Amino acid sequence: MQIEVLEPRSVAVVGAGYVGLTTGACMAEIGHSVICADTIREKVERLQVGDIPIHEPGLSDIVTKNLASGHLSFVVGAAAAVADADVVFLCVPTPQGDDGRADLQYVYAAAKEISQLMKPGTVVVNKSTVPVGTADAVAAIIDRDDIEIVSNPEFLREGTAVSDFLNPERVVVGAQETQAAARVAGLYGTLGAPIHLTDTRSAEMSKYAANAFLATKLSFVNEVATLCESVGADVSDVMKVMGSDSRIGAQFLSPGPGWGGSCFPKDTRALLALANDNECDFEMLRSTIDSNESQFDRVVGRITGLLGGSLVGKKIAVLGLAFKAGTDDTRDSPAIAVIRRLIADGATVVGYDPVAQDVVLEGLSKAVEPYSAADGADILVILTEWAEFGKLDFGKISELMNQALIFDARNLLAGEDLKELGFEYASLGVTENVAVS
Ligand code: UDX
Ligand code: UDX
């Protein structure tokens, strides 16, 4: 199908979180007229004056610019946003339910709330990650012949969400009807990205499959890193070789303390639940998830080993609380998963993160800067790959610590330089002081 670059449209976005706010602001940035709605009044009032409640590079500038130009506005409640919209994006949360399935209550409630408020011809778009069949369920709730439901999954990585939106590798549009598909695809026309047109179920499935594949890639990398430690290989060299094969690709090959965030953990579990519900045994995905849980334990095992076999009474300085660098998001953060285990095993943990400072966890005390976290510590552990951790004054850190010992679970630091400063330095996927048989 030929995708026309349509004239600017009226767009409503329901849910102004990481995804909705980025989507709304970027839609305004490319010329559309956008109203973003959220149920939290305080959040809306902050957004109305350009105060961004999340850390997302570049987002503040485009929100401020488009508020000033009148292309972007914020309102409380979906009902106030949708009356004149040509397209309504649903960007409300789809958290993991108790049974592993995606909890769709917010999607369904938003659909119900707006169902009778939209003008004929409006297209409703599921942007949140939702199980296969959700577009049909939303259509049943809205129950109008003059409204089409389209699936247009997001591929926005936190930390680079603005750039991912404005320079997408692809735009996926799943629809049962060509005019609705063209209307949604046309919104992105000026971006020049490849547009994949498909049916709603394939679009919903492709989002889950993409995230599950990436999670599987990371679990594989972390397992290979563990094996490298046992056999005396160096995971960074191994990954360089693997990544130079274009069939594998050089990205997403960094070992770490496990994968996390607001998407991978819930999306992998939701896909597994979907498979179970459809009597498909997706054994490999179960292993991917289990392997990630084991990775948290492996990291704790390495730290325990470095501290002589017990964490009781040890003081551990942790650098990094966010689930990855570039965001303040700590939802399902591997750093938190590891810290919980360290505390359970008897350690005292002091954590520092340059932006994720709102974490509240029993037993975790927080430092306002990295040096006070290191003060008196028996080991310094890197759990998030903030580049600024590589630029710290490690001479000073060594003097502050009880012993000069670092475990780098992001392979971020220059180990050789640290060893010259007198540190014992260990990281993932390399043999440290282990006799290789
Ligand atoms: C959400 C989904 O959880 C995820 O699956 C999807 O891929 C992208 O959208 P995210 O944007 O990170 O993720 O969620 P969050 O930052 O929690 O933002 C959701 C926003 O919706 C919040 O600001 C919340 O206040 C708002 N909201 C929630 C509504 O406006 N209405 C509701 O009924 C519920
Ligand atoms: C993800 C998807 O990548 C994105 O397309 C969208 O669907 C939202 O969900 P995000 O959650 O922002 O994005 O994080 P991502 O960059 O994918 O990282 C996920 C986890 O994998 C993080 O914990 C990260 O630290 C980890 N990771 C990533 C590694 O451990 N090593 C890598 O090489 C890459």
Short mmCIF file of all heavy atoms in Angstrom, two decimals, residues 19 56 129 153-160 164 170 207 210-211 214-215 218 221-222 250-265 267 322-325 327 329 332-334 383-385 409-410, ligand 2:
data_model
loop_
_atom_site.label_atom_id
_atom_site.label_comp_id
_atom_site.label_asym_id
_atom_site.label_seq_id
_atom_site.Cartn_x
_atom_site.Cartn_y
_atom_site.Cartn_z
N VAL A 19 5.95 6.25 27.74
CA VAL A 19 5.60 6.05 26.34
C VAL A 19 4.65 7.13 25.82
O VAL A 19 4.87 7.72 24.77
CB VAL A 19 4.99 4.64 26.14
CG1 VAL A 19 4.37 4.50 24.76
CG2 VAL A 19 6.06 3.59 26.35
N GLU A 56 14.27 11.78 30.67
CA GLU A 56 14.33 11.23 29.31
C GLU A 56 15.03 12.26 28.42
O GLU A 56 14.44 13.32 28.13
CB GLU A 56 12.92 10.93 28.78
CG GLU A 56 12.87 10.12 27.49
CD GLU A 56 13.58 8.77 27.59
OE1 GLU A 56 13.26 7.97 28.47
OE2 GLU A 56 14.50 8.54 26.77
N THR A 129 1.98 -2.17 25.07
CA THR A 129 2.21 -3.56 24.69
C THR A 129 1.09 -4.42 25.25
O THR A 129 0.87 -4.45 26.47
CB THR A 129 3.57 -4.03 25.24
OG1 THR A 129 4.55 -3.10 24.78
CG2 THR A 129 3.90 -5.42 24.77
N PRO A 153 2.49 -0.84 17.90
CA PRO A 153 3.34 -1.00 19.09
C PRO A 153 4.51 -0.03 19.11
O PRO A 153 5.01 0.38 18.07
CB PRO A 153 3.82 -2.45 18.98
CG PRO A 153 3.59 -2.85 17.57
CD PRO A 153 2.45 -2.03 17.07
N GLU A 154 4.91 0.28 20.36
CA GLU A 154 6.06 1.19 20.51
C GLU A 154 7.35 0.39 20.59
O GLU A 154 7.37 -0.72 21.12
CB GLU A 154 5.87 2.06 21.76
CG GLU A 154 5.58 1.31 23.07
CD GLU A 154 6.81 0.87 23.83
OE1 GLU A 154 7.91 1.30 23.46
OE2 GLU A 154 6.66 0.06 24.77
N PHE A 155 8.41 0.99 20.04
CA PHE A 155 9.75 0.41 20.17
C PHE A 155 10.68 1.49 20.73
O PHE A 155 11.73 1.79 20.16
CB PHE A 155 10.25 -0.11 18.82
CG PHE A 155 9.40 -1.23 18.27
CD1 PHE A 155 8.42 -0.97 17.32
CD2 PHE A 155 9.57 -2.53 18.72
CE1 PHE A 155 7.62 -2.00 16.83
CE2 PHE A 155 8.77 -3.57 18.22
CZ PHE A 155 7.79 -3.30 17.28
N LEU A 156 10.23 2.11 21.81
CA LEU A 156 10.95 3.25 22.39
C LEU A 156 11.77 2.77 23.57
O LEU A 156 11.22 2.36 24.59
CB LEU A 156 9.95 4.31 22.87
CG LEU A 156 8.94 4.80 21.82
CD1 LEU A 156 7.92 5.74 22.47
CD2 LEU A 156 9.66 5.50 20.67
N ARG A 157 13.09 2.84 23.42
CA ARG A 157 13.94 2.48 24.55
C ARG A 157 14.05 3.67 25.48
O ARG A 157 14.29 4.80 25.01
CB ARG A 157 15.35 2.11 24.07
CG ARG A 157 15.43 0.82 23.30
CD ARG A 157 16.75 0.74 22.56
NE ARG A 157 16.87 1.84 21.60
CZ ARG A 157 17.96 2.12 20.91
NH1 ARG A 157 19.05 1.41 21.08
NH2 ARG A 157 17.97 3.12 20.05
N GLU A 158 13.88 3.44 26.77
CA GLU A 158 14.06 4.55 27.70
C GLU A 158 15.51 5.03 27.59
O GLU A 158 16.43 4.24 27.40
CB GLU A 158 13.74 4.10 29.13
CG GLU A 158 12.25 3.86 29.30
CD GLU A 158 11.86 3.43 30.70
OE1 GLU A 158 12.60 3.71 31.65
OE2 GLU A 158 10.79 2.81 30.84
N GLY A 159 15.67 6.32 27.70
CA GLY A 159 17.01 6.91 27.57
C GLY A 159 17.29 7.39 26.15
O GLY A 159 18.05 8.32 25.95
N THR A 160 16.66 6.72 25.18
CA THR A 160 16.82 7.17 23.78
C THR A 160 15.45 7.22 23.10
O THR A 160 15.34 7.11 21.88
CB THR A 160 17.74 6.22 22.97
OG1 THR A 160 17.24 4.88 23.08
CG2 THR A 160 19.17 6.26 23.42
N ASP A 164 14.50 7.42 19.22
CA ASP A 164 13.87 6.22 18.65
C ASP A 164 12.56 6.59 17.95
O ASP A 164 12.22 6.01 16.91
CB ASP A 164 13.57 5.19 19.75
CG ASP A 164 14.82 4.47 20.23
OD1 ASP A 164 15.88 4.62 19.59
OD2 ASP A 164 14.74 3.75 21.24
N ARG A 170 11.63 1.04 12.13
CA ARG A 170 10.40 0.65 11.43
C ARG A 170 9.20 1.12 12.24
O ARG A 170 9.29 1.35 13.44
CB ARG A 170 10.33 -0.85 11.18
CG ARG A 170 9.90 -1.80 12.28
CD ARG A 170 10.69 -1.76 13.51
NE ARG A 170 10.80 -3.05 14.20
CZ ARG A 170 11.41 -3.20 15.35
NH1 ARG A 170 11.93 -2.16 15.98
NH2 ARG A 170 11.51 -4.39 15.91
N LYS A 207 5.44 -7.32 18.49
CA LYS A 207 6.04 -6.58 19.61
C LYS A 207 6.53 -7.53 20.69
O LYS A 207 7.67 -7.44 21.17
CB LYS A 207 5.01 -5.60 20.18
CG LYS A 207 5.44 -4.92 21.47
CD LYS A 207 6.72 -4.11 21.31
CE LYS A 207 7.35 -3.73 22.64
NZ LYS A 207 6.73 -2.63 23.29
N ALA A 210 9.57 -9.53 19.45
CA ALA A 210 10.81 -8.73 19.39
C ALA A 210 11.42 -8.61 20.79
O ALA A 210 12.62 -8.85 20.98
CB ALA A 210 10.53 -7.35 18.81
N ASN A 211 10.60 -8.25 21.78
CA ASN A 211 11.16 -8.09 23.13
C ASN A 211 11.63 -9.42 23.71
O ASN A 211 12.66 -9.49 24.38
CB ASN A 211 10.14 -7.42 24.05
CG ASN A 211 10.22 -5.89 23.96
OD1 ASN A 211 11.00 -5.35 23.18
ND2 ASN A 211 9.41 -5.20 24.73
N LEU A 214 14.99 -10.29 22.14
CA LEU A 214 16.08 -9.49 22.71
C LEU A 214 16.44 -9.98 24.11
O LEU A 214 17.62 -10.09 24.46
CB LEU A 214 15.68 -8.01 22.76
CG LEU A 214 15.60 -7.32 21.39
CD1 LEU A 214 14.92 -5.95 21.51
CD2 LEU A 214 16.99 -7.17 20.77
N ALA A 215 15.42 -10.33 24.90
CA ALA A 215 15.68 -10.86 26.24
C ALA A 215 16.43 -12.19 26.15
O ALA A 215 17.35 -12.46 26.93
CB ALA A 215 14.36 -11.02 27.01
N LEU A 218 20.04 -11.66 25.46
CA LEU A 218 20.78 -11.24 26.65
C LEU A 218 21.00 -12.40 27.62
O LEU A 218 22.09 -12.53 28.21
CB LEU A 218 20.06 -10.10 27.35
CG LEU A 218 20.04 -8.77 26.59
CD1 LEU A 218 19.23 -7.74 27.35
CD2 LEU A 218 21.45 -8.26 26.33
N VAL A 221 23.82 -14.29 26.24
CA VAL A 221 25.10 -13.60 26.46
C VAL A 221 25.56 -13.81 27.90
O VAL A 221 26.74 -14.10 28.16
CB VAL A 221 24.95 -12.09 26.15
CG1 VAL A 221 26.15 -11.30 26.67
CG2 VAL A 221 24.74 -11.86 24.67
N ASN A 222 24.64 -13.67 28.85
CA ASN A 222 25.02 -13.82 30.25
C ASN A 222 25.45 -15.24 30.58
O ASN A 222 26.36 -15.46 31.38
CB ASN A 222 23.88 -13.34 31.17
CG ASN A 222 23.75 -11.82 31.16
OD1 ASN A 222 24.72 -11.11 30.92
ND2 ASN A 222 22.56 -11.31 31.42
N ALA A 250 25.84 -6.60 16.23
CA ALA A 250 26.76 -6.19 17.30
C ALA A 250 26.05 -5.61 18.52
O ALA A 250 26.66 -5.42 19.56
CB ALA A 250 27.75 -5.17 16.75
N GLN A 251 24.76 -5.33 18.41
CA GLN A 251 24.08 -4.72 19.55
C GLN A 251 23.49 -5.78 20.48
O GLN A 251 23.25 -6.91 20.08
CB GLN A 251 22.95 -3.82 19.04
CG GLN A 251 23.47 -2.62 18.28
CD GLN A 251 22.34 -1.70 17.88
OE1 GLN A 251 21.55 -1.27 18.72
NE2 GLN A 251 22.25 -1.39 16.61
N PHE A 252 23.25 -5.34 21.72
CA PHE A 252 22.62 -6.22 22.70
C PHE A 252 23.48 -7.44 23.01
O PHE A 252 22.98 -8.56 23.13
CB PHE A 252 21.23 -6.64 22.22
CG PHE A 252 20.14 -5.90 22.95
CD1 PHE A 252 19.97 -4.55 22.75
CD2 PHE A 252 19.32 -6.53 23.86
CE1 PHE A 252 19.01 -3.84 23.45
CE2 PHE A 252 18.35 -5.84 24.57
CZ PHE A 252 18.19 -4.49 24.36
N LEU A 253 24.77 -7.19 23.13
CA LEU A 253 25.69 -8.29 23.46
C LEU A 253 26.49 -7.99 24.72
O LEU A 253 27.49 -8.65 24.97
CB LEU A 253 26.64 -8.55 22.28
CG LEU A 253 26.03 -9.15 21.01
CD1 LEU A 253 27.09 -9.32 19.94
CD2 LEU A 253 25.36 -10.50 21.29
N SER A 254 26.07 -6.99 25.50
CA SER A 254 26.83 -6.67 26.71
C SER A 254 26.31 -7.48 27.88
O SER A 254 25.12 -7.39 28.23
CB SER A 254 26.70 -5.19 27.06
OG SER A 254 27.14 -4.41 26.00
N PRO A 255 27.19 -8.27 28.53
CA PRO A 255 26.73 -8.98 29.73
C PRO A 255 26.40 -7.99 30.82
O PRO A 255 26.88 -6.85 30.82
CB PRO A 255 27.93 -9.85 30.11
CG PRO A 255 29.11 -9.24 29.44
CD PRO A 255 28.61 -8.49 28.24
N GLY A 256 25.55 -8.39 31.73
CA GLY A 256 25.14 -7.49 32.81
C GLY A 256 24.57 -8.28 33.96
O GLY A 256 24.60 -9.52 33.97
N PRO A 257 24.03 -7.55 34.95
CA PRO A 257 23.50 -8.24 36.13
C PRO A 257 22.13 -8.86 35.89
O PRO A 257 21.44 -9.23 36.84
CB PRO A 257 23.41 -7.10 37.16
CG PRO A 257 23.22 -5.86 36.34
CD PRO A 257 23.95 -6.09 35.04
N GLY A 258 21.74 -8.97 34.63
CA GLY A 258 20.40 -9.46 34.28
C GLY A 258 19.68 -8.34 33.55
O GLY A 258 20.04 -7.17 33.69
N TRP A 259 18.68 -8.72 32.76
CA TRP A 259 17.91 -7.69 32.07
C TRP A 259 16.67 -7.34 32.89
O TRP A 259 16.14 -8.18 33.64
CB TRP A 259 17.52 -8.12 30.65
CG TRP A 259 17.09 -9.56 30.51
CD1 TRP A 259 17.89 -10.60 30.15
CD2 TRP A 259 15.78 -10.11 30.76
NE1 TRP A 259 17.16 -11.77 30.15
CE2 TRP A 259 15.86 -11.50 30.52
CE3 TRP A 259 14.56 -9.57 31.14
CZ2 TRP A 259 14.76 -12.35 30.65
CZ3 TRP A 259 13.46 -10.42 31.29
CH2 TRP A 259 13.57 -11.79 31.04
N GLY A 260 16.24 -6.09 32.76
CA GLY A 260 15.08 -5.67 33.53
C GLY A 260 14.36 -4.53 32.85
O GLY A 260 14.38 -4.42 31.64
N GLY A 261 13.71 -3.69 33.67
CA GLY A 261 12.99 -2.54 33.13
C GLY A 261 11.49 -2.76 33.11
O GLY A 261 10.97 -3.80 33.52
N SER A 262 10.81 -1.78 32.57
CA SER A 262 9.35 -1.80 32.62
C SER A 262 8.76 -2.70 31.55
O SER A 262 7.55 -2.93 31.54
CB SER A 262 8.81 -0.39 32.45
OG SER A 262 9.10 0.07 31.16
N CYS A 263 9.59 -3.21 30.64
CA CYS A 263 9.03 -4.00 29.53
C CYS A 263 9.45 -5.47 29.49
O CYS A 263 8.60 -6.35 29.50
CB CYS A 263 9.37 -3.33 28.20
SG CYS A 263 8.43 -1.81 27.96
N PHE A 264 10.76 -5.74 29.42
CA PHE A 264 11.19 -7.13 29.19
C PHE A 264 10.61 -8.12 30.21
O PHE A 264 10.07 -9.17 29.81
CB PHE A 264 12.72 -7.24 29.18
CG PHE A 264 13.37 -6.77 27.91
CD1 PHE A 264 12.66 -6.13 26.91
CD2 PHE A 264 14.73 -6.99 27.69
CE1 PHE A 264 13.26 -5.69 25.74
CE2 PHE A 264 15.35 -6.56 26.54
CZ PHE A 264 14.62 -5.92 25.56
N PRO A 265 10.72 -7.84 31.52
CA PRO A 265 10.21 -8.84 32.46
C PRO A 265 8.72 -9.11 32.29
O PRO A 265 8.29 -10.27 32.25
CB PRO A 265 10.52 -8.21 33.83
CG PRO A 265 11.71 -7.33 33.57
CD PRO A 265 11.43 -6.75 32.21
N ASP A 267 6.82 -8.41 29.64
CA ASP A 267 6.47 -8.87 28.28
C ASP A 267 6.84 -10.35 28.08
O ASP A 267 6.10 -11.10 27.43
CB ASP A 267 7.14 -8.00 27.22
CG ASP A 267 6.57 -6.58 27.19
OD1 ASP A 267 5.54 -6.33 27.87
OD2 ASP A 267 7.15 -5.72 26.51
N ALA A 322 19.10 2.43 38.68
CA ALA A 322 18.20 2.38 37.53
C ALA A 322 18.41 1.07 36.76
O ALA A 322 19.48 0.45 36.84
CB ALA A 322 18.47 3.55 36.60
N PHE A 323 17.39 0.64 35.98
CA PHE A 323 17.51 -0.66 35.31
C PHE A 323 18.51 -0.64 34.17
O PHE A 323 18.95 -1.69 33.69
CB PHE A 323 16.15 -1.18 34.85
CG PHE A 323 15.61 -0.60 33.56
CD1 PHE A 323 15.84 -1.24 32.35
CD2 PHE A 323 14.86 0.56 33.57
CE1 PHE A 323 15.33 -0.74 31.16
CE2 PHE A 323 14.35 1.08 32.37
CZ PHE A 323 14.59 0.43 31.17
N LYS A 324 18.89 0.57 33.75
CA LYS A 324 19.98 0.75 32.79
C LYS A 324 20.35 2.22 32.85
O LYS A 324 19.63 3.02 33.47
CB LYS A 324 19.56 0.35 31.38
CG LYS A 324 18.46 1.22 30.80
CD LYS A 324 18.19 0.88 29.34
CE LYS A 324 17.19 1.85 28.75
NZ LYS A 324 16.93 1.61 27.34
N ALA A 325 21.44 2.60 32.19
CA ALA A 325 21.83 4.00 32.18
C ALA A 325 20.87 4.80 31.30
O ALA A 325 20.22 4.26 30.42
CB ALA A 325 23.26 4.14 31.67
N THR A 327 18.17 6.51 32.27
CA THR A 327 16.79 6.62 32.76
C THR A 327 16.78 6.69 34.29
O THR A 327 17.74 6.24 34.94
CB THR A 327 15.93 5.43 32.27
OG1 THR A 327 14.59 5.59 32.74
CG2 THR A 327 16.46 4.09 32.78
N ASP A 329 14.24 5.19 35.72
CA ASP A 329 13.27 4.13 35.95
C ASP A 329 13.91 2.96 36.73
O ASP A 329 14.94 2.43 36.31
CB ASP A 329 12.76 3.63 34.59
CG ASP A 329 11.43 2.90 34.69
OD1 ASP A 329 11.06 2.50 35.81
OD2 ASP A 329 10.78 2.72 33.64
N ASP A 332 11.44 -3.10 37.98
CA ASP A 332 12.13 -4.37 37.70
C ASP A 332 13.61 -4.17 37.38
O ASP A 332 14.15 -4.78 36.45
CB ASP A 332 11.43 -5.12 36.56
CG ASP A 332 10.30 -6.00 37.09
OD1 ASP A 332 10.48 -6.63 38.14
OD2 ASP A 332 9.23 -6.03 36.45
N SER A 333 14.24 -3.31 38.15
CA SER A 333 15.66 -3.06 37.91
C SER A 333 16.49 -4.24 38.41
O SER A 333 16.34 -4.68 39.56
CB SER A 333 16.10 -1.79 38.65
OG SER A 333 17.50 -1.67 38.59
N PRO A 334 17.42 -4.75 37.59
CA PRO A 334 18.31 -5.81 38.06
C PRO A 334 19.11 -5.35 39.28
O PRO A 334 19.41 -6.16 40.17
CB PRO A 334 19.25 -6.05 36.87
CG PRO A 334 18.53 -5.53 35.68
CD PRO A 334 17.65 -4.41 36.17
N LEU A 383 26.31 -1.65 39.19
CA LEU A 383 25.13 -2.38 38.72
C LEU A 383 24.41 -1.67 37.56
O LEU A 383 23.56 -2.28 36.90
CB LEU A 383 24.16 -2.63 39.88
CG LEU A 383 24.64 -3.65 40.92
CD1 LEU A 383 23.62 -3.80 42.05
CD2 LEU A 383 24.91 -5.01 40.28
N THR A 384 24.69 -0.39 37.34
CA THR A 384 24.11 0.32 36.19
C THR A 384 25.26 1.00 35.45
O THR A 384 26.18 1.52 36.10
CB THR A 384 23.08 1.38 36.64
OG1 THR A 384 22.17 0.78 37.57
CG2 THR A 384 22.29 1.92 35.46
N GLU A 385 25.19 1.00 34.12
CA GLU A 385 26.36 1.40 33.34
C GLU A 385 26.43 2.91 33.05
O GLU A 385 26.71 3.34 31.93
CB GLU A 385 26.41 0.58 32.03
CG GLU A 385 25.40 0.94 30.94
CD GLU A 385 23.98 0.46 31.19
OE1 GLU A 385 23.61 0.19 32.35
OE2 GLU A 385 23.23 0.37 30.20
N ALA A 409 29.65 -5.35 37.49
CA ALA A 409 28.67 -6.23 36.84
C ALA A 409 28.16 -5.64 35.52
O ALA A 409 27.20 -6.15 34.94
CB ALA A 409 27.49 -6.49 37.79
N ARG A 410 28.78 -4.58 35.05
CA ARG A 410 28.46 -4.01 33.73
C ARG A 410 29.70 -3.94 32.84
O ARG A 410 29.64 -3.37 31.75
CB ARG A 410 27.88 -2.61 33.88
CG ARG A 410 26.49 -2.56 34.51
CD ARG A 410 25.42 -2.99 33.54
NE ARG A 410 24.09 -2.80 34.11
CZ ARG A 410 22.97 -2.97 33.42
NH1 ARG A 410 23.02 -3.33 32.15
NH2 ARG A 410 21.80 -2.82 33.99
C1 UDX B 2 12.70 -2.13 25.65
C2 UDX B 2 12.78 -2.37 24.15
O1 UDX B 2 14.16 -2.49 23.78
C3 UDX B 2 12.12 -1.25 23.39
O2 UDX B 2 12.13 -1.53 22.00
C4 UDX B 2 10.68 -1.06 23.87
O3 UDX B 2 9.88 -2.15 23.49
C5 UDX B 2 10.64 -0.89 25.39
O4 UDX B 2 11.33 -1.98 26.03
P1 UDX B 2 13.89 -0.61 27.45
O5 UDX B 2 13.03 -1.30 28.44
O6 UDX B 2 13.99 0.87 27.50
O7 UDX B 2 13.43 -0.96 25.96
O8 UDX B 2 15.34 -1.22 27.65
P2 UDX B 2 16.44 -1.94 26.74
O9 UDX B 2 17.40 -0.94 26.23
O10 UDX B 2 15.82 -2.84 25.77
O11 UDX B 2 17.20 -2.79 27.88
C6 UDX B 2 16.51 -3.78 28.60
C7 UDX B 2 17.43 -4.41 29.64
O12 UDX B 2 18.48 -5.12 29.00
C8 UDX B 2 18.11 -3.40 30.57
O13 UDX B 2 18.12 -3.91 31.89
C9 UDX B 2 19.52 -3.31 30.03
O14 UDX B 2 20.48 -2.93 30.96
C10 UDX B 2 19.74 -4.74 29.54
N1 UDX B 2 20.78 -4.85 28.51
C11 UDX B 2 20.59 -4.29 27.28
C12 UDX B 2 21.94 -5.56 28.78
O15 UDX B 2 22.11 -6.10 29.88
N2 UDX B 2 22.88 -5.69 27.80
C13 UDX B 2 22.73 -5.14 26.55
O16 UDX B 2 23.63 -5.33 25.70
C14 UDX B 2 21.54 -4.42 26.29
#
